[in-house]
Amino acid sequence: MKILLVAVNAKYIHSNLAVYSLRAYAVKNAVRGAEKIEIAEYTINQPKDVILRELYEKEADVVCFSCYIWNMAYIESLVREFGKLCPDVELWLGGPEVSYNAREVLQHLPEVKGVMRGEGERTFAKLCEKIPLEDLEGIVFRRADGAICENAWRAPVDLDEIPFVYEDIQQFENKIIYYETSRGCPFSCSYCLSSIDKQLRFRSIPLIKRELDFFLKHRVPQVKFVDRTFNCSHRHAEEIWKYIAEHDNGITNFHFEISADLLNEEELELIKIMRPGLIQLEIGVQSTNEETIREIRRTMNFEKLSQNVKALCDMNNVHLHLDLIAGLPFEDIERFSQSFNDVYTLRPHQLQLGFLKVLKGSYMEEKREEYGLVYKGEPPYEVLYTKWLSYRDVLELKGIEEMVETYYNSRQFEHTLPVLEERFASPYRMYKSLWKYFKERGLNLIQHKRSARYEILYGFAEKYCTKQAEKIRELLIFDYYSRENAKTRPAFAGENPLDKEKIREFYEKESAEHKYLSGYEAYDKNQMRKMTHLEYFPILGKTVLFDYMHRNPLNYEAYVCEL
């Protein structure tokens, strides 16, 4: 019997840890036929006809699809068409998007034989062994007479039983490596499915260290921990952070989702000594409204979170990503703007303005009528409006999200934005005005190249900051050359005030003395000129050398030296 595990990822650089874990567990436990289990990974950007052809040509007896909020609509379409082509092939679904409404899924998709719900390793192994479905825990299935049967949920597995799936690391080249050291979550956030699994379990530290050694030895660019709240156990987090700090290979970056208010002094001191870029932290704030936080059953001390985020920012060695969610209860647009300003003021490297997704099986779904919560009927079930937030408000926030993504999260305007913000009552008001500027000129309907973003922001500054427009123009030039080793000047920059002869003299002298450009000893003056940029800023009153060989690992800015 040939079994095919199918993953449809959001992007090519993603991989699906779940399907690899299912196969590895079956192989480790010597399940009959495990050697015939095959994995097929695709993306939602591929034409369905291409995937259908490949699935058909693989001639599997059983095909299992891994289902998530971002791929469910795509997989539904695949299942319907594949069912027409191969009606005798047994189709199974698994994953968070089908685990909590399995009966409805089977009613909706008659082509599917059954759903593996919850953790799938043991369930999949038993399914491979062809035991009677009536005796198989962790599934909902369709009997021969069409009746749908719901079996008991399966007890959680010991995480040390889950095999390491990356032994053949070459097959994950150019992919993000997802790694799991815990399952479950101690918190009860009403919008999250992780809160349903209260049986928090950890992989043992000695095993984790051996696996981290593997990643470090193979110089993997990034390892993304998928633990829902990585630092919910101080001992667990400290052991791992200490280990990667002591064994840093100078290349590998580790990504963690944490609760910043849980960080203690020992952890902060440990992070402080890490190489810049060794770790990056994603921190879910969601809202700063205490009433909202209580209602969504979230545990968060925003004062402590702010204190710790500021401490992390001051260290200047950790990339920080903070999240907000629009559409939560008791938060209208005015109160959300306050949450936005509160988090923006912390100056994270990225601020993600997300929108509530009403997940099947979540407590938020149960409360939808009480909240006047209306959301899209198809995945990702995103909020349309609530009794506090109108659809017009949501559209405004969508525009602000776009502006934040373009101008703040791109990190291309590090020096310009703080000066622009001074002209407005709050950061939220500035991004709202910027979105209005875009819409009035139809700029939101156009795909802009990187240099055009600077031109547009200069036009915005001329309208709203007339007296400081020239200073802002200089800051935009500074930002532009901090990121771009461009030999063609953008129109808004005009001519370089620095005399061409002085530029020539500088590089001749530098090629002999190497006073400012350390590491360029092997290059001649013409090569050095191509790899750097020299600019004079009259209003700022300084001449600046931009060194593109050396960049900040957190925001990719060129090393800057004032002459």
Side-chain angles (χ1 to χ4, degrees):
M1 180 176 68
K2 180 178 178 180
I3 299 177
L4 184 65
L5 292 167
V6 179
V8 183
N9 302 321
K11 296 180 180 178
Y12 172 77
I13 61 169
H14 296 173
S15 57
N16 185 299
L17 178 58
V19 294
Y20 287 96
S21 290
L22 296 186
R23 183 176 68 176
Y25 187 87
V27 171
K28 176 185 176 183
N29 288 276
V31 170
R32 188 187 314 129
E35 70 281 354
K36 293 183 179 179
I37 298 171
E38 186 177 334
I39 290 174
E41 285 195 278
Y42 307 101
T43 79
I44 57 175
N45 300 311
Q46 290 179 262
K48 292 191 186 77
D49 284 346
V50 171
I51 299 177
L52 277 173
R53 182 187 68 214
E54 289 206 7
L55 296 180
Y56 179 83
E57 291 177 344
K58 288 183 182 296
E59 298 184 337
D61 301 293
V62 178
V63 178
C64 307
F65 294 88
S66 182
C67 303
Y68 297 87
I69 195 169
W70 65 81
N71 70 7
M72 192 63 214
Y74 193 100
I75 285 177
E76 279 191 17
S77 177
L78 277 179
V79 164
R80 290 189 185 282
E81 303 307 327
F82 186 75
K84 297 173 186 175
L85 293 171
C86 303
D88 295 328
V89 174
E90 199 170 286
L91 303 183
W92 285 80
L93 306 181
E97 185 54 26
V98 295
S99 284
Y100 301 98
N101 63 330
R103 177 177 287 273
E104 291 81 357
V105 169
L106 292 181
Q107 290 170 342
H108 181 61
L109 293 172
E111 300 83 2
V112 175
K113 176 65 177 180
V115 171
M116 291 178 279
R117 55 182 185 177
E119 292 183 347
E121 285 87 1
R122 283 180 177 169
T123 303
F124 176 69
K126 294 295 183 182
L127 184 67
C128 293
E129 292 175 349
K130 298 295 287 182
I131 71 170
L133 296 183
E134 290 79 4
D135 301 330
L136 181 53
E137 291 181 336
I139 67 167
V140 179
F141 70 99
R142 194 189 316 276
R143 289 193 328 210
D145 62 4
I148 295 174
C149 299
E150 294 190 48
N151 291 357
W153 287 74
R154 183 174 293 278
V157 66
D158 181 337
L159 288 196
D160 281 4
E161 293 181 18
I162 307 298
F164 185 65
V165 304
Y166 294 111
E167 297 292 351
D168 183 8
I169 195 65
Q170 289 187 339
Q171 67 178 311
F172 297 97
E173 190 175 359
N174 301 318
K175 302 269 191 176
I176 296 173
I177 299 297
Y178 295 100
Y179 182 60
E180 180 179 50
T181 69
S182 68
R183 285 184 184 174
C185 183
F187 304 115
S188 303
C189 304
S190 65
Y191 52 83
C192 181
L193 291 182
S194 295
S195 63
I196 296 172
D197 184 359
K198 290 299 178 188
Q199 302 187 63
L200 181 60
R201 293 147 289 143
F202 298 93
R203 205 163 174 82
S204 65
I205 291 296
L207 184 55
I208 292 170
K209 288 180 179 179
R210 289 200 298 273
E211 293 166 352
L212 291 176
D213 275 340
F214 179 89
F215 294 137
L216 293 165
K217 177 184 175 182
H218 287 84
R219 303 167 83 82
V220 170
Q222 185 181 59
V223 177
K224 191 165 186 176
F225 281 63
V226 295
D227 306 51
R228 297 312 303 155
T229 306
F230 175 75
N231 64 327
C232 61
S233 163
H234 291 297
R235 187 191 68 82
H236 183 79
E238 286 177 22
E239 286 263 19
I240 292 172
W241 281 340
K242 183 179 180 182
Y243 193 81
I244 64 175
E246 291 174 348
H247 297 80
D248 180 18
N249 62 10
I251 293 174
T252 304
N253 161 267
F254 297 90
H255 175 103
F256 304 92
E257 292 186 33
I258 69 164
S259 287
D261 54 321
L262 297 182
L263 290 171
N264 59 31
E265 289 301 319
E266 291 77 12
E267 289 163 343
L268 288 170
E269 286 301 313
L270 181 56
I271 292 171
K272 189 175 183 179
I273 65 170
M274 291 180 178
R275 164 180 62 87
L278 174 60
I279 69 171
Q280 60 190 54
L281 302 177
E282 183 172 349
I283 299 164
V285 181
Q286 321 315 6
S287 171
T288 66
N289 182 3
E290 291 184 3
E291 187 177 14
T292 297
I293 293 299
R294 283 194 302 271
E295 181 64 21
I296 63 176
R297 309 195 299 189
R298 183 167 174 77
T299 303
M300 184 189 71
N301 181 334
F302 183 67
E303 183 178 351
K304 180 67 173 175
L305 182 148
S306 299
Q307 177 184 328
N308 286 341
V309 167
K310 289 173 183 176
L312 290 166
C313 285
D314 289 342
M315 295 175 193
N316 201 32
N317 67 337
V318 180
H319 184 280
L320 297 174
H321 177 131
L322 271 59
D323 298 331
L324 284 170
I325 296 178
L328 295 175
F330 298 110
E331 195 157 61
D332 60 17
I333 196 162
E334 289 302 318
R335 187 56 189 78
F336 183 84
S337 70
Q338 184 177 328
S339 288
F340 179 92
N341 291 330
D342 290 339
V343 174
Y344 189 93
T345 304
L346 297 176
R347 310 302 296 193
H349 296 94
Q350 289 210 313
L351 195 172
Q352 181 175 327
L353 197 172
F355 294 82
L356 177 65
K357 313 293 190 298
V358 186
L359 305 180
K360 303 293 184 184
S362 68
Y363 184 66
M364 186 66 70
E365 185 190 28
E366 292 181 28
K367 303 278 280 186
R368 62 188 183 277
E369 291 187 12
E370 181 180 333
Y371 297 156
L373 181 53
V374 177
Y375 53 94
K376 292 180 180 177
E378 295 183 351
Y381 314 113
E382 190 173 272
V383 63
L384 291 170
Y385 61 88
T386 73
K387 68 195 244 182
W388 298 277
L389 199 69
S390 71
Y391 183 56
R392 187 175 299 280
D393 295 334
V394 169
L395 292 179
E396 178 179 309
L397 295 176
K398 286 283 186 180
I400 290 171
E401 176 198 26
E402 186 175 330
M403 295 299 94
V404 169
E405 195 64 29
T406 300
Y407 285 99
Y408 184 82
N409 289 345
S410 67
R411 313 311 299 174
Q412 294 173 15
F413 306 90
E414 298 267 277
H415 304 87
T416 305
L417 287 178
V419 176
L420 270 175
E421 289 162 19
E422 294 172 0
R423 168 65 180 77
F424 297 88
S426 70
Y428 184 90
R429 290 290 183 87
M430 186 193 78
Y431 286 103
K432 181 177 178 179
S433 298
L434 185 55
W435 174 240
K436 179 182 177 184
Y437 181 85
F438 260 68
K439 284 207 304 180
E440 287 174 346
R441 289 157 180 77
L443 298 171
N444 58 311
L445 306 175
I446 304 169
Q447 188 74 26
H448 301 286
K449 60 182 181 180
R450 286 162 66 95
S451 60
R453 298 172 183 173
Y454 295 83
E455 302 274 3
I456 293 168
L457 199 59
Y458 179 52
F460 176 75
E462 284 186 307
K463 177 175 180 178
Y464 287 94
C465 310
T466 308
K467 293 181 180 180
Q468 288 189 297
E470 273 306 298
K471 180 181 179 181
I472 289 171
R473 188 178 74 88
E474 279 201 1
L475 289 169
L476 281 167
I477 297 170
F478 191 98
D479 277 330
Y480 184 77
Y481 283 109
S482 290
R483 297 295 298 270
E484 308 289 342
N485 183 11
K487 300 312 174 187
T488 302
R489 289 180 74 81
F492 78 90
E495 293 292 325
N496 189 342
L498 201 59
D499 183 76
K500 292 181 180 179
E501 184 61 26
K502 287 186 177 180
I503 295 175
R504 186 186 64 78
E505 290 175 358
F506 169 81
Y507 283 104
E508 281 189 354
K509 189 175 181 180
E510 187 63 17
S511 65
E513 299 179 359
H514 296 286
K515 181 178 179 181
Y516 299 101
L517 292 174
S518 174
Y520 283 78
E521 289 77 11
Y523 300 98
D524 63 30
K525 63 181 181 181
N526 293 325
Q527 290 172 317
M528 291 167 63
R529 189 166 182 173
K530 289 179 180 179
M531 299 165 71
T532 62
H533 179 75
L534 198 62
E535 182 91 15
Y536 176 61
F537 297 91
I539 296 176
L540 300 179
K542 55 188 178 184
T543 300
V544 176
L545 178 65
F546 298 91
D547 174 3
Y548 301 111
M549 183 187 290
H550 303 99
R551 291 181 180 267
N552 184 325
L554 300 184
N555 61 13
Y556 203 60
E557 277 193 351
Y559 173 75
V560 170
C561 177
E562 290 186 31
L563 307 187

